[in-house]
Amino acid sequence: MRDNHQIANIDFVKQTNSAVVYKLIDQQGPISRIQISELSQLAPASVTKITRNLLARGLIKEVAQQESTGGRKATSIIVESKAFHSILVHLGTKQMTLAIMNLSSELLKKEILDLPDCQSAVEMEQFLIAHLARFIEKNQRKNAALIAIGITVPGFVDVKTNCIQYLPHLSLSEPWDLANHLAEYFQLMTFIGHDVRSLALAEHYFGATKDCYDSLLLRIHRGVGAGIVINHEIFLGYKNNVGEIGHIQVDPLGKRCLCGNVGCLETVVSNEAIEEKMLGLLEEGYKSKWISLESHDIEAICNAVNKHDIVAVNLIEHVGTQIGRVLAMSVNMFNPEKIVISGEITQAQNVLFSAIHRTLDNLALPAFVKNTPLVVSELQNEDVIGAFALIKQALLDGRLLQHLLSE
Ligand SMILES: [Zn+2]
């Protein structure tokens, strides 16, 4: 008699094999069954069985035939992406973004809402569910199926329980089981993750680090955080959260950070920190042709940098140097194949990147730096593409795929 453990193993093998086949079709389609069998090392009969199930569920489709190596025509397969939609949520500190994407990561709808001043997770959850229900009702098309919800938050998430452990803008009396509550309410599998870590995964699936095993993404926006991809997977660690390089101290006499310490990288290079610094300089009497007390946001500052404005250039050089110091430590520690910078500040790429390069050259191991390109993120829809990456991950590793096949 088989015990539960063996049954679980058989299910796991089924899930893994289906995932291997789906992943090959997704990444290399159009592809024939024979090629899938060769590349996956699965027996042709297994491939036929798995593709039959995937076809029956509409997850893949057959397309025009291609010549096989033996001269016979072989039917090719690609994944079906338009007929499946996913719901994406980014629960930010001040705003919430709701979106719908199809499986080609094509954005179909997006709505940004200001968050109310919620005092508790319960209140926030009620607000989120009410607006999400309305958003789905208004925008979901009949000819496509909703398959999952992806949600990202700027806080710590426990991967084992799916609970939010910490958010910077809402004090939680206990871990918040938001993802499971959404799954129950909307009857959809729900995946949750840290926003910057998920963004690094999205960059690996769809952006600048597609060709890398290991990479590091630094996101500079309201806060500063990083995501590390190791061997094609986002590195989360046993304790779930890795990459808080925005809280490495760069100025021992600096400003108080949200985390309680002083002079963290975030207090010097976040958009708000840069804008505040510029405001202070203007109030001190520094003159700029392009920036004023009324117009000194990050876009205006980057624009001024690109017009060679001295004050703006000096400020972004200072910012680049501080980023470079923290990146130098990270490069020495992880030796990534590529470093990606994401955020509005990359509009001043020329000045920013030369300051970062200069600092990396001075502070990081020369052999590591020499082989590590520094690039700008290639992603669009940065607010929600991370949530989509979580869904994509669950399709490729079989968790969501198996669920869809068993429905
Ligand atoms: Zn800090």
Side-chain angles (χ1 to χ4, degrees):
M1 214 177 80
R2 292 186 309 191
D3 60 19
N4 284 341
H5 184 65
Q6 275 175 309
I7 293 168
N9 271 343
I10 290 166
D11 285 345
F12 182 70
V13 169
K14 257 166 78 182
Q15 170 173 327
T16 310
N17 288 348
S18 300
V20 166
V21 170
Y22 183 82
K23 192 173 179 178
L24 275 171
I25 301 169
D26 181 54
Q27 293 176 348
Q28 305 205 24
I31 183 169
S32 70
R33 287 177 178 81
I34 303 159
Q35 290 168 317
I36 295 171
S37 172
E38 281 165 8
L39 290 168
S40 65
Q41 308 272 302
L42 288 168
S46 303
V47 173
T48 302
K49 195 174 166 201
I50 292 168
T51 51
R52 192 190 303 136
N53 290 340
L54 292 170
L55 273 170
R57 186 62 181 83
L59 286 158
I60 57 171
K61 59 187 177 189
E62 291 180 332
V63 288
Q65 303 199 317
Q66 65 172 36
E67 289 286 341
S68 78
T69 43
R72 261 180 48 230
K73 299 248 175 171
T75 305
S76 291
I77 306 167
I78 56 171
V79 296
E80 169 58 62
S81 52
K82 305 261 187 246
F84 297 100
H85 289 178
S86 54
I87 299 292
L88 312 173
V89 182
H90 178 244
L91 185 63
T93 48
K94 293 184 176 142
Q95 291 177 319
M96 169 169 83
T97 309
L98 306 176
I100 300 181
M101 266 185 191
N102 64 22
L103 290 187
S104 304
S105 69
E106 197 182 335
L107 184 73
L108 304 171
K109 284 283 170 208
K110 181 155 119 176
E111 209 173 275
I112 299 173
L113 296 141
D114 288 329
L115 288 174
D117 198 12
C118 289
Q119 299 304 313
S120 70
V122 175
E123 246 180 87
M124 185 69 89
E125 190 172 299
Q126 282 167 352
F127 175 84
L128 200 165
I129 287 181
H131 284 273
L132 191 55
R134 186 194 45 77
F135 178 76
I136 293 174
E137 165 118 21
K138 195 170 93 188
N139 297 307
Q140 179 50 14
R141 301 199 196 119
K142 287 200 176 62
N143 56 357
L146 284 183
I147 56 163
I149 299 175
I151 173 163
T152 56
V153 294
F156 298 157
V157 176
D158 183 336
V159 188
K160 291 168 216 79
T161 62
N162 259 349
C163 288
I164 303 171
Q165 296 166 312
Y166 164 83
L167 285 175
H169 54 293
L170 188 67
S171 82
L172 304 176
S173 52
E174 55 184 22
W176 183 12
D177 202 4
L178 175 64
N180 291 329
H181 295 168
L182 291 181
E184 220 166 89
Y185 188 91
F186 292 100
Q187 289 295 298
L188 287 168
M189 268 188 109
T190 302
F191 304 93
I192 187 164
H194 183 279
D195 54 3
V196 180
R197 254 67 96 192
S198 307
L199 199 63
L201 189 64
E203 196 76 48
H204 180 54
Y205 286 150
F206 317 112
T209 58
K210 254 194 255 178
D211 55 342
C212 301
Y213 282 79
D214 306 336
S215 54
L216 186 147
L217 174 135
L218 180 67
R219 170 77 172 157
I220 299 168
H221 189 57
R222 286 211 171 91
V224 176
I228 299 158
V229 172
I230 292 187
N231 201 15
H232 301 296
E233 284 183 23
I234 192 73
F235 177 39
L236 296 173
Y238 182 73
K239 285 159 79 184
N240 296 304
N241 288 289
V242 183
E244 287 299 328
I245 62 179
H247 297 284
I248 291 178
Q249 192 186 60
V250 293
D251 181 2
L253 298 175
K255 286 195 171 158
R256 180 71 62 188
C257 179
L258 274 179
C259 73
N261 296 333
V262 294
C264 298
L265 181 67
E266 184 168 300
T267 66
V268 181
V269 312
S270 72
N271 287 354
E272 203 182 289
I274 295 170
E275 289 162 358
E276 235 174 67
K277 182 75 183 175
M278 181 54 85
L279 179 64
L281 292 172
L282 294 171
E283 284 171 347
E284 287 284 336
Y286 284 80
K287 294 276 176 266
S288 164
K289 198 171 148 194
W290 307 97
I291 313 165
S292 64
L293 290 173
E294 295 75 37
S295 167
H296 61 277
D297 66 5
I298 189 74
E299 264 92 16
I301 294 168
C302 290
N303 181 43
V305 170
N306 294 332
K307 299 255 177 14
H308 311 290
D309 180 85
I310 274 292
V311 186
V313 167
N314 285 341
L315 175 54
I316 295 301
E317 273 185 347
H318 174 70
V319 163
T321 305
Q322 302 310 319
I323 293 172
R325 288 176 64 173
V326 171
L327 283 180
M329 297 179 211
S330 312
V331 165
N332 283 358
M333 205 177 281
F334 295 106
N335 195 11
E337 284 174 83
K338 214 180 254 185
I339 299 171
V340 183
I341 311 281
S342 157
E344 292 79 2
I345 195 180
T346 57
Q347 289 164 35
Q349 184 187 351
N350 283 349
V351 168
L352 179 74
F353 276 29
S354 43
I356 296 176
H357 274 302
R358 227 176 8 251
T359 316
L360 279 175
D361 287 344
N362 286 335
L363 300 180
L365 271 179
F368 286 12
V369 172
K370 202 170 73 190
N371 299 315
T372 312
L374 178 69
V375 300
V376 174
S377 167
E378 289 175 8
L379 295 175
Q380 290 175 336
N381 305 307
E382 287 106 325
D383 45 359
V384 289
I385 191 75
F388 181 69
L390 295 174
I391 294 175
K392 182 91 184 176
Q393 181 186 40
L395 264 178
L396 297 182
D397 69 21
R399 281 172 298 155
L400 176 57
L401 193 69
Q402 200 55 40
H403 176 75
L404 294 172
L405 286 171
S406 63
E407 265 180 346

